[in-house]
Amino acid sequence: MPRSDSSLAPHEPGTVAGADWWRQAVVYQVYPRSFADANGDGIGDLKGVTSRVGYLRDLGVDAVWLSPFYPSALADGGYDVDDYRDVDPRIGTLEDFDEMVTALHAAGLKVIVDIVPNHSSDRHVFFQAALAAPAGSPERERYIFRDGLGENGELPPSDWPAAFGGIAWEPVGDGQWYLHSFAKEQPDFNWNHPDVHEEFLETLRFWSDRGVDGFRVDVANMLAKDLPEVLPSAAELLGLDSTSGHHPFLDRDEVHDIYAAWREVFNSYDPPRTAVAEAWVSSPERRARYAAPTGLGQAFNFDLLTADFDPAAFRRIVTENLAQSAAIGSSSTWVLSNHDVTRHPTRYGLPPLAGRPVKQGTEWVLAGGPADGIDLDAGSRRARAATLFLLGLPGSAYLYQGEELGLPEVAEIPNDQRQDPAYWRSLDADGWTFDGLGRDGCRVPIPWEPTGPSFGFGTGEPHLPQPGWFGQSAASAQEADPDSTLALYREALLLRRELQSGESLEWIETGSDQVLHFRRPNGWEIVTNFGAEAAPLPQGRIVLASSPVAADLPAETTVWLAPA
Ligand code: NOJ
Ligand code: CA
């Protein structure tokens, strides 16, 4: 495979400077419990992250985003936060956090932490106070309590489904029920209460003071709520327009007032702290509002993640999102994998859009069965091609731990060892889930070594079981192999420092509906053949390819061309 030209500049970590560092950054998501376990208890920890800073620097990413590491009962993988301003003792201490930030900064990497403002855990001090206080008390005002229906309040206030199955209301034993859009251990905050605002402003300052560079904002589109006295039914909710800005809880216009106040905090630091919204909203126009410079500044665009490996879809998504982010003054974001979705080599190995759950008896399985119907060779080839396509785009790229190793989804986790409520709660309810097997399969601890008790993750039994074949994808083995997926990511991230300039691209017509070709303002070109047949090799200096290239451009392959 053609490798990079030796005349290109060497990798210099930390060359992304100034307040605008985030606009074209490569951000690497760490799911702390599954990244590296320094003390051998089977749970990844902050010291483990610190021990792998050299790996992250050599990979060539610009920033690390940590999923929640706060004290939590882990009803939802840590997205049920007991205390927003502390570290889970199983993961480390605040001192470990400071050490980790110092080490990442010294390596030239920025640090982003996850803020979970739609809900706390049911162990948060505010919720414990609410439970201890009577109905109608000020303590209950910080959450969303309603009287139950029926003679003694024994029926839920409405039939709304929770995201992980079941009803979105939980009784507290005195005729009142609280709203939980996700698991029952995740009560939704009442953002009409000043204490809730203060809790988060203080949290943003707390982590900013500790040197954090930015925030990823969980469920950013649901904080503002205005629930009518008589609640609509679930069926009626479905009929409401979620793009109107006036839906009872989705994407309400006044949610942006919250972020305007957060922006004041961000801008009181030098450089200003950054933020990226997780907002699954229905249109790029609505999403762009979260990315306004007066608000969070950037918003995740999950359009590629939910699309098939399809040239027409990719082109439309890129064009639409670049236009929307430019119009609002932000830069676009690109994601193929994260801790909530099936890893992209597996997704692309399934028949088109077949990664949706099907229920067989009480079991959710991927269409065709967990192992059947997945062509992992094709999936991996497409994943490498899609990744090089994505890394060539203007904007920031968000990578998920393990994707640089080409890890597929782990389907064979014994059901009794699964942790994800999206799996457990979907067994007895037809509620929405992220995918049929839940999200544990992309959260299995990383294989660092080909052998050893947990393939170098730690010395103890890993908290989620790793399959026997995991060692084949070990980081240390790939480091030595120039044709590995890890080598491809490293090479791409190194070259990307030359490629990124300007925030636009120009499409070049190829005469084939299977081949996409674009040029960046500095002359770099990206060409992807999405088709099953080889295409003519583009003219120019090929410096990187997702599969071996000879006389033509192979099926399902991306190449990068540097200016002559
Ligand atoms: C989105 C997070 O990414 C996911 O992991 C979590 O379960 C939900 N928000 C609820 O916090
Ligand atoms: Ca540990």
Side-chain angles (χ1 to χ4, degrees):
M1 175 194 319
R3 318 253 11 124
S4 68
D5 190 305
S6 57
S7 66
L8 297 168
H11 175 201
E12 287 172 28
T15 51
V16 186
D20 277 348
W21 65 268
W22 52 274
R23 295 189 75 93
Q24 310 245 1
V26 177
V27 183
Y28 183 95
Q29 182 190 357
V30 165
Y31 188 76
R33 280 179 184 76
S34 299
F35 187 63
D37 170 22
N39 67 354
D41 65 357
I43 300 168
D45 41 47
L46 299 184
K47 279 191 183 304
V49 179
T50 305
S51 75
R52 298 288 178 185
V53 167
Y55 172 84
L56 296 168
R57 183 203 51 218
D58 293 349
L59 179 57
V61 299
D62 301 305
V64 171
W65 147 35
L66 292 126
S67 276
F69 47 79
Y70 314 112
S72 168
L74 302 183
D76 179 21
Y79 283 89
D80 45 323
V81 179
D82 297 352
D83 179 350
Y84 292 92
R85 299 188 286 278
D86 205 351
V87 175
D88 188 322
R90 287 165 294 185
I91 286 192
T93 61
L94 281 169
E95 289 68 43
D96 294 344
F97 181 84
D98 294 341
E99 249 175 60
M100 178 193 73
V101 171
T102 304
L104 285 164
H105 282 168
L109 305 181
K110 309 283 185 194
V111 182
I112 295 173
V113 300
D114 217 312
I115 295 292
V116 189
N118 178 68
H119 42 265
S120 68
S121 85
D122 55 358
R123 309 198 309 177
H124 190 278
V125 56
F126 281 179
F127 195 73
Q128 285 299 312
L131 289 183
S137 60
E139 288 82 356
R140 289 210 176 170
E141 282 298 305
R142 297 182 185 125
Y143 293 89
I144 302 176
F145 280 86
R146 279 289 171 100
D147 291 333
L149 305 179
E151 218 166 298
N152 302 307
E154 70 281 8
L155 298 173
S158 75
D159 62 345
W160 298 354
F164 299 141
I167 293 280
W169 297 95
E170 189 68 13
V172 295
D174 59 7
Q176 284 218 308
W177 300 59
Y178 66 86
L179 179 71
H180 60 91
S181 299
F182 294 87
K184 72 172 170 36
E185 295 86 354
Q186 293 168 298
D188 283 45
F189 277 120
N190 171 16
W191 272 90
N192 292 319
H193 198 296
D195 288 358
V196 176
H197 287 256
E198 200 37 56
E199 169 77 358
F200 282 92
L201 292 174
E202 199 178 326
T203 298
L204 297 174
R205 288 189 212 103
F206 178 87
W207 294 109
S208 298
D209 289 343
R210 292 195 105 89
V212 153
D213 303 282
F215 300 93
R216 178 265 189 192
V217 181
D218 190 68
V219 196
N221 56 318
M222 285 176 65
L223 277 50
K225 295 186 176 76
D226 185 14
L227 306 186
E229 206 39 53
V230 178
L231 298 173
S233 68
E236 286 165 343
L237 270 185
L238 287 177
L240 298 179
D241 180 4
S242 64
T243 65
S244 66
H246 307 295
H247 185 278
F249 54 85
L250 291 177
D251 193 21
R252 290 182 64 79
D253 286 341
E254 72 267 23
V255 76
H256 299 292
D257 298 342
I258 299 172
Y259 302 131
W262 290 19
R263 174 51 57 187
E264 284 183 29
V265 175
F266 301 153
N267 288 355
S268 70
Y269 290 86
D270 183 20
R273 297 332 190 210
T274 67
V276 58
E278 187 222 22
W280 290 83
V281 295
S282 35
S283 72
E285 290 84 356
R286 296 295 302 178
R287 179 164 60 230
R289 297 173 170 231
Y290 294 82
T294 49
L296 294 176
Q298 215 181 30
F300 280 127
N301 143 29
F302 295 121
D303 295 352
L304 284 182
L305 182 154
T306 50
D308 280 327
F309 183 71
D310 172 67
F314 270 48
R315 179 166 173 166
R316 178 185 49 75
I317 289 167
V318 167
T319 302
E320 246 176 44
N321 280 285
L322 289 179
Q324 291 299 336
S325 48
I328 201 82
S330 182
S331 69
S332 198
T333 58
W334 307 106
V335 193
L336 289 173
S337 277
N338 65 30
H339 65 298
D340 288 333
V341 298
T342 304
R343 285 186 178 277
H344 60 287
T346 301
R347 214 168 58 227
Y348 288 144
L350 287 159
L353 289 174
R356 305 292 174 266
V358 286
K359 206 167 186 180
Q360 293 180 357
T362 56
E363 295 281 297
W364 285 92
V365 292
L366 295 179
D372 308 337
I374 299 176
D375 180 346
L376 207 47
D377 284 345
S380 300
R381 191 168 58 244
R382 292 171 193 151
R384 288 164 60 105
T387 298
L388 283 200
F389 178 91
L390 174 147
L391 289 173
L393 292 170
S396 343
Y398 285 79
L399 308 180
Y400 177 51
Q401 67 179 36
E403 71 165 86
E404 78 281 16
L405 305 177
L407 291 181
E409 189 79 357
V410 178
E412 58 270 59
I413 300 173
N415 287 346
D416 62 356
Q417 292 183 54
R418 289 188 181 274
Q419 301 172 3
D420 181 13
Y423 176 75
W424 287 109
R425 283 164 219 269
S426 63
L427 290 181
D428 56 11
D430 283 324
W432 170 82
T433 63
F434 289 86
D435 87 18
L437 291 172
R439 299 165 295 172
D440 295 310
C442 64
R443 300 177 177 181
V444 175
I446 295 297
W448 294 96
E449 301 294 338
T451 55
S454 54
F455 300 113
F457 166 67
T459 50
E461 181 90 358
H463 71 101
L464 268 174
Q466 299 160 305
W469 49 263
F470 235 33
Q472 292 162 21
S473 302
S476 69
Q478 294 200 32
E479 258 163 10
D481 174 4
D483 291 328
S484 66
T485 300
L486 178 58
L488 182 74
Y489 270 72
R490 283 185 170 178
E491 198 81 39
L493 296 185
L494 173 61
L495 291 172
R496 191 180 141 98
R497 287 167 191 266
E498 311 262 320
L499 175 153
Q500 286 296 1
S501 78
E503 292 189 5
S504 60
L505 58 73
E506 175 200 352
W507 293 107
I508 296 171
E509 297 311 327
T510 63
S512 159
D513 60 3
Q514 292 303 306
V515 180
L516 292 185
H517 186 160
F518 61 86
R519 186 187 294 127
R520 300 295 303 276
N522 57 0
W524 281 73
E525 292 175 37
I526 311 306
V527 186
T528 301
N529 179 9
F530 288 79
E533 307 292 330
L537 199 60
Q539 295 295 306
R541 187 160 69 101
I542 295 179
V543 291
L544 195 62
S546 65
S547 336
V549 167
D552 48 20
L553 179 59
E556 302 176 331
T557 297
T558 297
V559 291
W560 285 13
L561 301 137

PDB file of all heavy atoms in Angstrom, residues 146-150 153-160 167-171 177 231:
ATOM      1  N   ARG A 146     -45.370  14.415  39.796  1.00  0.00           N
ATOM      2  CA  ARG A 146     -46.792  14.591  39.484  1.00  0.00           C
ATOM      3  C   ARG A 146     -47.602  13.639  40.353  1.00  0.00           C
ATOM      4  O   ARG A 146     -47.113  12.549  40.701  1.00  0.00           O
ATOM      5  CB  ARG A 146     -47.068  14.231  38.014  1.00  0.00           C
ATOM      6  CG  ARG A 146     -46.745  15.326  37.018  1.00  0.00           C
ATOM      7  CD  ARG A 146     -47.752  16.446  37.141  1.00  0.00           C
ATOM      8  NE  ARG A 146     -47.390  17.617  36.362  1.00  0.00           N
ATOM      9  CZ  ARG A 146     -47.912  17.912  35.174  1.00  0.00           C
ATOM     10  NH1 ARG A 146     -48.780  17.101  34.587  1.00  0.00           N
ATOM     11  NH2 ARG A 146     -47.574  19.018  34.557  1.00  0.00           N
ATOM     12  N   ASP A 147     -48.829  14.028  40.679  1.00  0.00           N
ATOM     13  CA  ASP A 147     -49.727  13.091  41.360  1.00  0.00           C
ATOM     14  C   ASP A 147     -50.098  11.989  40.377  1.00  0.00           C
ATOM     15  O   ASP A 147     -50.306  12.248  39.187  1.00  0.00           O
ATOM     16  CB  ASP A 147     -51.004  13.806  41.806  1.00  0.00           C
ATOM     17  CG  ASP A 147     -50.715  14.800  42.922  1.00  0.00           C
ATOM     18  OD1 ASP A 147     -49.730  14.593  43.667  1.00  0.00           O
ATOM     19  OD2 ASP A 147     -51.460  15.796  43.041  1.00  0.00           O
ATOM     20  N   GLY A 148     -50.189  10.760  40.906  1.00  0.00           N
ATOM     21  CA  GLY A 148     -50.627   9.652  40.066  1.00  0.00           C
ATOM     22  C   GLY A 148     -52.112   9.750  39.771  1.00  0.00           C
ATOM     23  O   GLY A 148     -52.851  10.496  40.425  1.00  0.00           O
ATOM     24  N   LEU A 149     -52.548   9.021  38.761  1.00  0.00           N
ATOM     25  CA  LEU A 149     -53.979   8.960  38.449  1.00  0.00           C
ATOM     26  C   LEU A 149     -54.619   7.821  39.270  1.00  0.00           C
ATOM     27  O   LEU A 149     -53.917   7.091  39.977  1.00  0.00           O
ATOM     28  CB  LEU A 149     -54.169   8.729  36.948  1.00  0.00           C
ATOM     29  CG  LEU A 149     -53.476   9.755  36.027  1.00  0.00           C
ATOM     30  CD1 LEU A 149     -53.706   9.406  34.559  1.00  0.00           C
ATOM     31  CD2 LEU A 149     -53.962  11.177  36.324  1.00  0.00           C
ATOM     32  N   GLY A 150     -55.918   7.686  39.167  1.00  0.00           N
ATOM     33  CA  GLY A 150     -56.610   6.656  39.941  1.00  0.00           C
ATOM     34  C   GLY A 150     -56.974   7.204  41.306  1.00  0.00           C
ATOM     35  O   GLY A 150     -56.554   8.310  41.685  1.00  0.00           O
ATOM     36  N   GLY A 153     -53.796   7.565  43.442  1.00  0.00           N
ATOM     37  CA  GLY A 153     -52.558   7.871  42.720  1.00  0.00           C
ATOM     38  C   GLY A 153     -51.787   6.612  42.350  1.00  0.00           C
ATOM     39  O   GLY A 153     -50.569   6.657  42.161  1.00  0.00           O
ATOM     40  N   GLU A 154     -52.477   5.487  42.218  1.00  0.00           N
ATOM     41  CA  GLU A 154     -51.773   4.228  41.958  1.00  0.00           C
ATOM     42  C   GLU A 154     -51.449   4.027  40.471  1.00  0.00           C
ATOM     43  O   GLU A 154     -50.724   3.113  40.113  1.00  0.00           O
ATOM     44  CB  GLU A 154     -52.578   3.035  42.509  1.00  0.00           C
ATOM     45  CG  GLU A 154     -53.871   2.700  41.770  1.00  0.00           C
ATOM     46  CD  GLU A 154     -55.050   3.632  42.157  1.00  0.00           C
ATOM     47  OE1 GLU A 154     -54.830   4.624  42.877  1.00  0.00           O
ATOM     48  OE2 GLU A 154     -56.173   3.378  41.696  1.00  0.00           O
ATOM     49  N   LEU A 155     -51.936   4.935  39.622  1.00  0.00           N
ATOM     50  CA  LEU A 155     -51.646   4.824  38.192  1.00  0.00           C
ATOM     51  C   LEU A 155     -50.693   5.942  37.767  1.00  0.00           C
ATOM     52  O   LEU A 155     -50.759   7.051  38.288  1.00  0.00           O
ATOM     53  CB  LEU A 155     -52.946   4.948  37.384  1.00  0.00           C
ATOM     54  CG  LEU A 155     -53.983   3.862  37.652  1.00  0.00           C
ATOM     55  CD1 LEU A 155     -55.293   4.197  36.934  1.00  0.00           C
ATOM     56  CD2 LEU A 155     -53.449   2.512  37.201  1.00  0.00           C
ATOM     57  N   PRO A 156     -49.788   5.661  36.792  1.00  0.00           N
ATOM     58  CA  PRO A 156     -48.835   6.698  36.363  1.00  0.00           C
ATOM     59  C   PRO A 156     -49.560   7.903  35.763  1.00  0.00           C
ATOM     60  O   PRO A 156     -50.648   7.747  35.195  1.00  0.00           O
ATOM     61  CB  PRO A 156     -47.976   5.994  35.314  1.00  0.00           C
ATOM     62  CG  PRO A 156     -48.743   4.787  34.899  1.00  0.00           C
ATOM     63  CD  PRO A 156     -49.624   4.402  36.048  1.00  0.00           C
ATOM     64  N   PRO A 157     -48.964   9.096  35.882  1.00  0.00           N
ATOM     65  CA  PRO A 157     -49.591  10.311  35.350  1.00  0.00           C
ATOM     66  C   PRO A 157     -49.822  10.263  33.841  1.00  0.00           C
ATOM     67  O   PRO A 157     -50.679  10.982  33.325  1.00  0.00           O
ATOM     68  CB  PRO A 157     -48.584  11.417  35.697  1.00  0.00           C
ATOM     69  CG  PRO A 157     -47.775  10.854  36.825  1.00  0.00           C
ATOM     70  CD  PRO A 157     -47.723   9.381  36.627  1.00  0.00           C
ATOM     71  N   SER A 158     -49.036   9.464  33.124  1.00  0.00           N
ATOM     72  CA  SER A 158     -49.277   9.294  31.683  1.00  0.00           C
ATOM     73  C   SER A 158     -48.660   7.965  31.277  1.00  0.00           C
ATOM     74  O   SER A 158     -47.957   7.326  32.056  1.00  0.00           O
ATOM     75  CB  SER A 158     -48.656  10.435  30.867  1.00  0.00           C
ATOM     76  OG  SER A 158     -47.256  10.275  30.798  1.00  0.00           O
ATOM     77  N   ASP A 159     -48.906   7.584  30.040  1.00  0.00           N
ATOM     78  CA  ASP A 159     -48.377   6.296  29.563  1.00  0.00           C
ATOM     79  C   ASP A 159     -47.099   6.468  28.753  1.00  0.00           C
ATOM     80  O   ASP A 159     -46.742   5.631  27.929  1.00  0.00           O
ATOM     81  CB  ASP A 159     -49.438   5.582  28.709  1.00  0.00           C
ATOM     82  CG  ASP A 159     -49.814   6.401  27.460  1.00  0.00           C
ATOM     83  OD1 ASP A 159     -49.472   7.619  27.404  1.00  0.00           O
ATOM     84  OD2 ASP A 159     -50.452   5.842  26.552  1.00  0.00           O
ATOM     85  N   TRP A 160     -46.383   7.561  28.970  1.00  0.00           N
ATOM     86  CA  TRP A 160     -45.174   7.817  28.169  1.00  0.00           C
ATOM     87  C   TRP A 160     -44.142   6.719  28.379  1.00  0.00           C
ATOM     88  O   TRP A 160     -43.839   6.337  29.520  1.00  0.00           O
ATOM     89  CB  TRP A 160     -44.540   9.159  28.562  1.00  0.00           C
ATOM     90  CG  TRP A 160     -45.416  10.336  28.332  1.00  0.00           C
ATOM     91  CD1 TRP A 160     -46.641  10.358  27.719  1.00  0.00           C
ATOM     92  CD2 TRP A 160     -45.148  11.680  28.737  1.00  0.00           C
ATOM     93  NE1 TRP A 160     -47.144  11.635  27.700  1.00  0.00           N
ATOM     94  CE2 TRP A 160     -46.241  12.470  28.324  1.00  0.00           C
ATOM     95  CE3 TRP A 160     -44.083  12.293  29.390  1.00  0.00           C
ATOM     96  CZ2 TRP A 160     -46.309  13.838  28.556  1.00  0.00           C
ATOM     97  CZ3 TRP A 160     -44.135  13.651  29.622  1.00  0.00           C
ATOM     98  CH2 TRP A 160     -45.240  14.424  29.209  1.00  0.00           C
ATOM     99  N   ILE A 167     -42.423   2.377  31.553  1.00  0.00           N
ATOM    100  CA  ILE A 167     -43.081   3.679  31.616  1.00  0.00           C
ATOM    101  C   ILE A 167     -42.111   4.712  32.192  1.00  0.00           C
ATOM    102  O   ILE A 167     -41.280   4.391  33.040  1.00  0.00           O
ATOM    103  CB  ILE A 167     -44.326   3.552  32.542  1.00  0.00           C
ATOM    104  CG1 ILE A 167     -45.364   2.631  31.884  1.00  0.00           C
ATOM    105  CG2 ILE A 167     -44.933   4.886  32.898  1.00  0.00           C
ATOM    106  CD1 ILE A 167     -46.188   3.306  30.815  1.00  0.00           C
ATOM    107  N   ALA A 168     -42.228   5.952  31.731  1.00  0.00           N
ATOM    108  CA  ALA A 168     -41.290   7.008  32.140  1.00  0.00           C
ATOM    109  C   ALA A 168     -41.622   7.632  33.504  1.00  0.00           C
ATOM    110  O   ALA A 168     -41.097   8.697  33.836  1.00  0.00           O
ATOM    111  CB  ALA A 168     -41.238   8.085  31.063  1.00  0.00           C
ATOM    112  N   TRP A 169     -42.500   7.013  34.271  1.00  0.00           N
ATOM    113  CA  TRP A 169     -42.843   7.534  35.600  1.00  0.00           C
ATOM    114  C   TRP A 169     -42.613   6.451  36.641  1.00  0.00           C
ATOM    115  O   TRP A 169     -42.910   5.282  36.394  1.00  0.00           O
ATOM    116  CB  TRP A 169     -44.313   7.951  35.661  1.00  0.00           C
ATOM    117  CG  TRP A 169     -44.675   9.068  34.733  1.00  0.00           C
ATOM    118  CD1 TRP A 169     -45.192   8.943  33.479  1.00  0.00           C
ATOM    119  CD2 TRP A 169     -44.571  10.477  34.995  1.00  0.00           C
ATOM    120  NE1 TRP A 169     -45.415  10.182  32.930  1.00  0.00           N
ATOM    121  CE2 TRP A 169     -45.045  11.147  33.840  1.00  0.00           C
ATOM    122  CE3 TRP A 169     -44.121  11.237  36.089  1.00  0.00           C
ATOM    123  CZ2 TRP A 169     -45.091  12.535  33.732  1.00  0.00           C
ATOM    124  CZ3 TRP A 169     -44.165  12.619  35.992  1.00  0.00           C
ATOM    125  CH2 TRP A 169     -44.641  13.254  34.829  1.00  0.00           C
ATOM    126  N   GLU A 170     -42.115   6.833  37.806  1.00  0.00           N
ATOM    127  CA  GLU A 170     -41.876   5.866  38.881  1.00  0.00           C
ATOM    128  C   GLU A 170     -42.580   6.374  40.139  1.00  0.00           C
ATOM    129  O   GLU A 170     -42.444   7.549  40.502  1.00  0.00           O
ATOM    130  CB  GLU A 170     -40.356   5.758  39.115  1.00  0.00           C
ATOM    131  CG  GLU A 170     -39.926   4.658  40.050  1.00  0.00           C
ATOM    132  CD  GLU A 170     -40.154   3.247  39.506  1.00  0.00           C
ATOM    133  OE1 GLU A 170     -40.430   3.075  38.293  1.00  0.00           O
ATOM    134  OE2 GLU A 170     -40.074   2.321  40.318  1.00  0.00           O
ATOM    135  N   PRO A 171     -43.326   5.499  40.833  1.00  0.00           N
ATOM    136  CA  PRO A 171     -44.018   5.958  42.048  1.00  0.00           C
ATOM    137  C   PRO A 171     -43.051   6.055  43.228  1.00  0.00           C
ATOM    138  O   PRO A 171     -42.075   5.320  43.292  1.00  0.00           O
ATOM    139  CB  PRO A 171     -45.034   4.845  42.307  1.00  0.00           C
ATOM    140  CG  PRO A 171     -44.444   3.620  41.674  1.00  0.00           C
ATOM    141  CD  PRO A 171     -43.592   4.093  40.522  1.00  0.00           C
ATOM    142  N   TRP A 177     -45.442  10.493  41.594  1.00  0.00           N
ATOM    143  CA  TRP A 177     -44.553   9.793  40.656  1.00  0.00           C
ATOM    144  C   TRP A 177     -43.558  10.821  40.114  1.00  0.00           C
ATOM    145  O   TRP A 177     -43.884  12.003  40.003  1.00  0.00           O
ATOM    146  CB  TRP A 177     -45.342   9.225  39.483  1.00  0.00           C
ATOM    147  CG  TRP A 177     -46.413   8.227  39.833  1.00  0.00           C
ATOM    148  CD1 TRP A 177     -47.489   8.421  40.657  1.00  0.00           C
ATOM    149  CD2 TRP A 177     -46.512   6.882  39.354  1.00  0.00           C
ATOM    150  NE1 TRP A 177     -48.253   7.281  40.721  1.00  0.00           N
ATOM    151  CE2 TRP A 177     -47.677   6.313  39.922  1.00  0.00           C
ATOM    152  CE3 TRP A 177     -45.739   6.091  38.493  1.00  0.00           C
ATOM    153  CZ2 TRP A 177     -48.082   5.002  39.666  1.00  0.00           C
ATOM    154  CZ3 TRP A 177     -46.146   4.791  38.219  1.00  0.00           C
ATOM    155  CH2 TRP A 177     -47.297   4.251  38.813  1.00  0.00           C
ATOM    156  N   LEU A 231     -51.739  15.823  30.802  1.00  0.00           N
ATOM    157  CA  LEU A 231     -50.651  15.351  29.939  1.00  0.00           C
ATOM    158  C   LEU A 231     -51.215  14.652  28.699  1.00  0.00           C
ATOM    159  O   LEU A 231     -52.172  13.874  28.805  1.00  0.00           O
ATOM    160  CB  LEU A 231     -49.768  14.372  30.709  1.00  0.00           C
ATOM    161  CG  LEU A 231     -49.066  14.967  31.936  1.00  0.00           C
ATOM    162  CD1 LEU A 231     -48.341  13.866  32.723  1.00  0.00           C
ATOM    163  CD2 LEU A 231     -48.068  16.049  31.518  1.00  0.00           C
TER     164      LEU A 231
END
